[in-house]
Each structure stands twice: as structure tokens, then as C-alpha cells.
Amino acid sequence: MLADIIGSGGATVKYYGFTWRHLETLHERATKRSEAGFSIEEVVNFVVAPVIYHILFEDRESDTDYCRALVMRLFPR
């Protein structure tokens, strides 16, 4: 998927929109259940972007623990 995004130019907007819409759906479902909502922009900037960066540059493994730590920064207990 990343090769498609990088190689096709206009596809980056398409995939960004796809990700944004999925996050909107998650946000809407959470608020309908009376759970705390979240800023979609913050999730993109502080969760999605770092994971994509590390996948692209292969400078670290984006394992479950790393991804969970990114999410927990936005949703402290």
C-alpha cells in the first residue's frame, strides 16, 4: 500500500481521506456510546504519522507496545 501511495502522487490524498473517514467513524461510535471522543487531527499527528514514518524508514519496529504507547498519550487514564 505504501508503495502505491508514494508512487502515484494523487493517491496520497485518497489514502489520507480513507484514514480520516475511518477515524471519524471510530469517533462517532465512541460518542454514541457516551465514551470520550477524540481529536481526529491529534490521532493522525501523534499516532498515524509516527507509525507510517517508522514503516517507511524502517528505523524501528512499530509493534503493539509502541502503538499502544502512542494511543495512551492521547487517552491517559
Side-chain angles (χ1 to χ4, degrees), residues 17-41:
F18 179 76
T19 301
W20 191 276
R21 285 189 302 279
H22 278 285
L23 290 169
E24 283 179 327
T25 300
L26 293 173
H27 173 74
E28 290 168 7
R29 289 178 182 173
T31 55
K32 284 180 183 176
R33 292 188 305 257
S34 299
E35 296 175 357
F38 54 88
S39 164
I40 296 169
E41 186 173 349

Side-chain angles (χ1 to χ4, degrees), residues 6 8 36 51-52 57 59 63 74:
I6 294 168
S8 64
V51 171
I52 297 297
F57 295 104
D59 65 331
D63 60 14
L74 296 175

Side-chain angles (χ1 to χ4, degrees), residues 13 19 31 39 43 48-49 53-54 56 67 76:
V13 173
T19 301
T31 55
S39 164
V43 172
V48 177
Y53 177 89
H54 294 306
L56 284 173
C67 294

Side-chain angles (χ1 to χ4, degrees), residues 46-72:
F46 300 116
V47 179
V48 177
V51 171
I52 297 297
Y53 177 89
H54 294 306
I55 290 170
L56 284 173
F57 295 104
E58 299 178 342
D59 65 331
R60 70 168 296 150
E61 189 168 333
S62 296
D63 60 14
T64 305
D65 291 334
Y66 174 71
C67 294
R68 184 174 287 120
L70 292 174
V71 171
M72 293 309 295

